[in-house]
Amino acid sequence: HGSTYTPMDILTRYHRMLGENADWIPGQDHAAIATEAVIIRELAKDGLTRESLGREAYIARVWEWRAQYGGIIDEQFKALGFGPDWERERFTMDPGLSAAVNRVFVDLYNDGFIYRGTRLVNWDPKAQSTLSDAEVENEERETFLWHIRYAADDGGPGVVIATTRPETMFADVAVAVHPDDERYGGLVGRNVILPLAKRPIPVIADAAVERDFGTGAVKVTPAHDPTDYEIGVRHNLPMPTVIDFAGRLTGDVPAAYIGLDRFAARAAVAADLAACGALLREEPYTTKVPVSSRTGEVIEPLLSLQWFCKMEELAKPALAAYRSGEITFVPERFGRTYEQWLENIRDWNVSRQVWWGHQLPVWYTPAADVIVAMTEDEARRIAGERYGGVALRRDPDTLDTWFSSGLWPFSILGWPEQTAELGQWYPNSVMITGREIIFLWVARMVMLGLRFVGRIPFKTVFITPLVFDIAGRKMSKSLGNAIDPLELAHKYGADGFRLGTMMQMRLESQELRFDERVCDQARRFNTKLWNALQYIVTRPEGLPAASVLPPAERLTLADKWVLNELHACVAEVTAALDGFAMGTAANTLHDFGWYKFCDWYLESTKIEAQRATRGPVLSFVLNALVRALHPIEPFVTE
């Protein structure tokens, strides 16, 4: 937060100083899954669950928590000197923003973009909800690669597959090989026998198979693996499920495994395969495992009936806006990240099985007819017209948090009302964020902005770097190397933290190896400026008006040199801020202030030859330096 939000404040202050109508509207999303995890943990301490409270009482409890803790981040921002437009602060669950969410959902549904269907999703067995890709982290973990023989149905040797998940084999519906793999040409179209289950499954050819992985033959389990799901769709294969939403074995599996946790079942299946001679070998293997960033639970890809949004048509204008140069990225290479995701976009699973958030504006009749409406009253009116007086049941699911966040650039300005703010500040100028949510947030804001306002939501996307510790490790609570910016602000001053952090930011680098010593260097710089001011105001001539310089013929060589260096500094800082090069701006100001102004020119004013002109020149240079520094260091400079 310290490294991403400081540039927002710098640019806002800079453009305000240029006399522009610059606005930075602060806000927060409702962080549905993360917040729900906290609340459920708190309820458990009192022996309660969300179900025992009921939805209405549970939501009231979350709002109480929000009232108690929601303002903390604002106070932290203020302590760091951030000066956004607090009067227009927004929260994604505010009434106006919630109404905008319903409007967009209803319109997308009526236009044929939103539908309900059974698809493979990221399922968190602990949170009991689907997750977006942004909430899934791929962690390297040590496991095993099990080599298992699937004998041919005629008694021949069949094929050997390699898998890291033998517990899913009961959902296997085929074995796939690459069409050009000569090793298996004679097997394609024939059947092999699934061990333990002892049922035949076909050998198929599909180009998605990696010939160099394992044996070059893979089990196809469409209901429990994203790649297998695509193979299953292409070959019209059945999709049986053998793991339930609690992560336990279920369905058409041998009775001994029913109800076993997936990881206990893994060990049991491997042991039974070894006992019957089907397990050829078990070798240590390092692989990337999808893990929920919210709960730490290993994600289970599962088939689930969910609400989806068709994305292909929405993506086309967003792609065109980038390719035409309407939207640019800084650094430029991140445009390719945006482009690649839109080129390969899939339908978006927008429903979540949590209670905190925007409840789907969807109702069902007893006959399971679907009614999508802005309000319950409207839903009842539609039901009356279509089906007579029937009871309605509202869908309990909520929308993915990114759905409301995707409307942010225009919903915070009052859309769908044509407000003065919407007319003045849409499209926004600059979007500042991190690279990990380019496709989850940036691309969706572009798609939805073009769809509902008819224009791009912002012109420039500035991607700030990830922050690592000085040893190059990503900062995290689990490693114990995360740093609270407020602690640094207490230690070095908010300005020391801000300047020190910006001095380490390089435009093209996306790895900021944070060195706390640079914040101490910035603190000492501010002390040096303070001492310079003390020296200037205690001269006999005092501190003359900063806007009046002596005539050029009266200026000494030292005066002309420092003024020349000042103008070069200001020109470089201006160009740096215009180009989002925060590190260049910060280091240029530091070096000019410390070495050229304080160490050199200020010292030169102590000699007799400089005394006649030093007052106005010192005043002019100090004033210009402080103004140039102000966007980065608001406290000291004010």
Side-chain angles (χ1 to χ4, degrees):
H1 282 95
S3 64
T4 298
Y5 285 87
T6 301
M8 297 184 196
D9 192 54
I10 290 171
L11 290 177
T12 305
R13 290 178 181 275
Y14 168 63
H15 284 279
R16 285 175 184 162
M17 291 177 73
L18 295 179
E20 297 171 8
N21 187 1
D23 202 51
W24 169 23
I25 297 182
Q28 300 168 36
D29 68 48
H30 54 281
I33 290 176
T35 300
E36 183 131 324
V38 171
I39 302 301
I40 287 174
R41 195 161 57 240
E42 291 298 312
L43 290 175
K45 294 177 183 177
D46 299 326
L48 298 171
T49 65
R50 68 177 191 176
E51 287 76 16
S52 67
L53 275 181
R55 188 165 195 139
E56 189 174 332
Y58 174 79
I59 296 300
R61 179 71 69 95
V62 183
W63 276 111
E64 288 173 9
W65 183 87
R66 159 75 188 171
Q68 184 176 357
Y69 296 106
I72 290 177
I73 196 168
D74 287 354
E75 295 310 309
Q76 293 173 336
F77 278 16
K78 290 172 183 176
L80 293 174
F82 298 159
D85 183 354
W86 292 112
E87 291 183 8
R88 290 187 173 88
E89 184 181 14
R90 295 289 182 266
F91 176 51
T92 47
M93 293 289 287
D94 287 346
L97 275 67
S98 296
V101 167
N102 282 358
R103 175 80 275 150
V104 168
F105 186 94
V106 171
D107 286 357
L108 286 174
Y109 177 80
N110 289 336
D111 291 342
F113 286 95
I114 284 183
Y115 66 95
R116 195 178 187 218
T118 300
R119 301 280 299 274
L120 201 68
V121 297
N122 299 317
W123 183 262
D124 182 338
K126 189 170 184 179
Q128 285 291 292
S129 176
T130 57
L131 297 180
S132 70
D133 291 342
E135 293 152 340
V136 177
E137 296 177 352
N138 290 307
E139 291 185 1
E140 271 201 357
R141 295 196 178 179
E142 299 300 320
T143 183
F144 292 94
L145 191 62
W146 286 272
H147 292 253
I148 307 166
R149 182 175 299 283
Y150 287 31
D153 61 354
D154 61 1
V159 65
V160 176
I161 65 96
T163 181
T164 59
R165 303 190 67 203
E167 73 278 7
T168 65
M169 65 183 296
F170 303 113
D172 287 0
V173 294
V175 169
V177 297
H178 194 279
D180 299 331
D181 196 330
E182 296 174 356
R183 294 173 292 177
Y184 302 113
L187 275 175
V188 175
R190 296 174 56 189
N191 287 339
V192 292
I193 302 299
L194 185 63
L196 302 182
K198 297 180 180 177
R199 58 180 168 81
I201 57 175
V203 178
I204 62 173
D206 195 280
V209 177
E210 296 178 26
R211 283 180 281 183
D212 298 331
F213 173 76
T215 64
V218 296
K219 57 198 285 299
V220 180
T221 317
H224 297 287
D225 181 89
T227 303
D228 291 4
Y229 177 80
E230 298 296 336
I231 293 174
V233 170
R234 282 195 292 273
H235 294 266
N236 197 28
L237 297 173
M239 298 188 180
T241 295
V242 297
I243 296 176
D244 65 17
F245 292 114
R248 297 172 302 212
L249 262 66
T250 187
D252 187 16
V253 303
Y257 306 113
I258 293 286
L260 277 183
D261 173 79
R262 53 192 166 150
F263 300 116
R266 179 177 299 177
V269 169
D272 290 346
L273 287 168
C276 74
L279 181 63
L280 301 189
R281 70 179 189 274
E282 174 184 290
E283 61 186 45
Y285 187 71
T286 302
T287 187
K288 289 190 173 180
V289 176
V291 174
S292 167
S293 64
R294 306 303 187 186
T295 65
E297 189 78 1
V298 174
I299 293 300
E300 190 63 47
L302 289 178
L303 287 173
S304 179
L305 180 62
Q306 301 283 341
W307 285 88
F308 293 88
C309 182
K310 296 176 183 177
M311 302 301 287
E312 190 175 349
E313 285 303 310
L314 293 174
K316 289 177 182 177
L319 259 176
Y322 167 70
R323 288 171 174 166
S324 68
E326 267 193 287
I327 295 175
T328 58
F329 282 78
V330 179
E332 189 177 327
R333 65 181 180 277
F334 287 107
R336 185 58 187 148
T337 302
Y338 169 92
E339 186 177 39
Q340 284 178 325
W341 186 72
L342 289 176
E343 287 172 339
N344 300 286
I345 201 163
R346 297 183 182 184
D347 287 357
W348 177 12
N349 168 212
V350 296
S351 50
R352 297 289 178 268
Q353 288 64 56
V354 294
W355 285 1
W356 172 239
H358 296 102
Q359 191 172 356
L360 297 178
V362 176
W363 288 262
Y364 304 103
T365 69
D369 300 300
V370 176
I371 297 173
V372 174
M374 283 290 293
T375 64
E376 186 164 348
D377 286 342
E378 184 183 349
R380 292 189 184 283
R381 179 183 58 76
I382 294 171
E385 293 171 357
R386 292 180 186 171
Y387 313 108
V390 296
L392 293 180
R393 176 183 63 86
R394 188 167 185 179
D395 195 309
D397 288 357
T398 52
L399 280 163
D400 178 11
T401 303
W402 296 106
F403 193 94
S404 51
S405 296
L407 315 182
W408 191 256
F410 54 92
S411 65
I412 60 171
L413 300 176
W415 184 92
E417 299 299 322
Q418 294 303 308
T419 63
E421 287 87 350
L422 190 65
Q424 179 67 45
W425 289 317
Y426 192 93
N428 313 161
S429 298
V430 183
M431 174 69 211
I432 302 178
T433 191
R435 67 188 181 194
E436 68 276 13
I437 52 176
I438 288 174
F439 51 94
L440 293 155
W441 193 27
V442 174
R444 286 170 179 165
M445 286 189 283
V446 176
M447 287 186 280
L448 293 169
L450 286 166
R451 178 75 188 177
F452 288 95
V453 191
R455 288 176 291 163
I456 56 172
F458 32 71
K459 299 171 184 175
T460 304
V461 182
F462 173 38
I463 302 297
T464 58
L466 288 175
V467 182
F468 296 80
D469 67 15
I470 198 166
R473 299 174 303 169
K474 188 175 179 180
M475 288 193 177
S476 72
K477 290 178 182 177
S478 59
L479 287 176
N481 62 346
I483 300 175
D484 184 347
L486 292 186
E487 292 178 10
L488 296 177
H490 180 73
K491 196 171 181 180
Y492 305 112
D495 286 329
F497 164 73
R498 290 169 62 122
L499 179 62
T501 303
M502 292 303 101
M503 286 173 68
Q504 299 177 70
M505 190 176 284
R506 298 292 177 269
L507 184 59
E508 288 300 324
S509 171
Q510 282 296 299
E511 184 175 306
L512 194 165
R513 295 198 176 193
F514 187 79
D515 187 347
E516 187 177 325
R517 292 172 297 182
V518 184
C519 291
D520 185 52
Q521 181 183 344
R523 178 193 62 79
R524 289 185 284 112
F525 169 77
N526 291 331
T527 301
K528 197 171 185 72
L529 274 187
W530 181 260
N531 291 336
L533 176 66
Q534 292 295 100
Y535 166 78
I536 294 168
V537 298
T538 55
R539 296 308 90 205
E541 57 271 35
L543 191 64
S547 58
V548 181
L549 278 173
E553 60 271 15
R554 289 185 54 208
L555 294 175
T556 67
L557 182 62
D559 296 335
K560 292 177 180 178
W561 176 83
V562 77
L563 290 168
N564 187 64
E565 291 295 324
L566 170 68
H567 284 283
C569 168
V570 170
E572 188 168 353
V573 169
T574 301
L577 292 178
D578 286 343
F580 307 98
M582 301 295 158
T584 300
N587 282 289
T588 299
L589 287 163
H590 172 276
D591 292 351
F592 173 81
W594 189 300
Y595 303 114
K596 295 174 181 176
F597 180 53
C598 293
D599 278 1
W600 201 92
Y601 180 74
L602 192 140
E603 288 301 315
S604 78
T605 64
K606 296 176 182 178
I607 64 174
E608 185 65 34
Q610 288 294 124
R611 290 188 179 179
T613 56
R614 69 181 179 187
V617 175
L618 281 169
S619 179
F620 183 90
V621 175
L622 178 69
N623 180 277
L625 173 60
V626 165
R627 283 187 286 116
L629 269 169
H630 175 72
I632 301 175
E633 297 201 305
F635 290 111
V636 169
T637 53
E638 284 179 359

